[in-house]
Amino acid sequence: MIDELPQGSRELERAKIIGETAKIPWLALQRFFAAGKVIWVASELDLVEVAWAMQQDDVQRVGAWTEQGELAPVSNDQARRWVAADSLLWAVTIKPWVLVQELATDSLETDPANPDA
């Protein structure tokens, strides 16, 4: 969907979401998890692209990711593992949701907005 926007608009929207994306300890997200507001994003997906699709209410793409098991509410098992490991996650808020993605295992510095960097 970002690809369908004029180049300047697409870059502006992506830059805004990138600016709102940060690493955060799982423990800091506990109250959002308790409220059922935290959504896990599979590492194969571009966190920024998923955030944009949700922001634009792109039901088709979000539905496809959900059906493929690449996008889902954080499970109790995931939450327990992240607490035990004191995990740091990538996160971005697309109200009312907080999207989270595990850091790449090959590098703690891999940025979901720029995976090739």
Side-chain angles (χ1 to χ4, degrees), residues 19 21 30 34 39 49 55 61 64 85-86 107-108:
T21 303
Q30 290 297 294
I39 305 294
E49 184 70 21
Q55 184 178 56
R61 292 176 72 202
D86 194 22
S107 169
L108 293 181

Side-chain angles (χ1 to χ4, degrees), residues 24-27 30 76-89 102-103 105 108:
I24 188 166
W26 171 247
L27 294 176
Q30 290 297 294
N76 289 336
D77 287 339
Q78 283 174 312
R80 279 191 283 276
R81 283 194 313 271
W82 292 340
V83 166
D86 194 22
S87 293
L88 188 65
L89 305 168
E102 294 172 276
L103 297 175
T105 55
L108 293 181

Side-chain angles (χ1 to χ4, degrees), residues 39-48 50 65 68-72 78 82 89-90 100-106 110-113 115:
I39 305 294
W40 167 80
V41 177
S43 60
E44 305 84 54
L45 296 179
D46 178 341
L47 180 61
V48 173
V50 173
W65 291 324
Q68 295 168 1
E70 296 174 314
L71 187 66
Q78 283 174 312
W82 292 340
L89 305 168
W90 283 110
V100 296
Q101 189 173 55
E102 294 172 276
L103 297 175
T105 55
D106 60 340
T110 301
D111 183 340

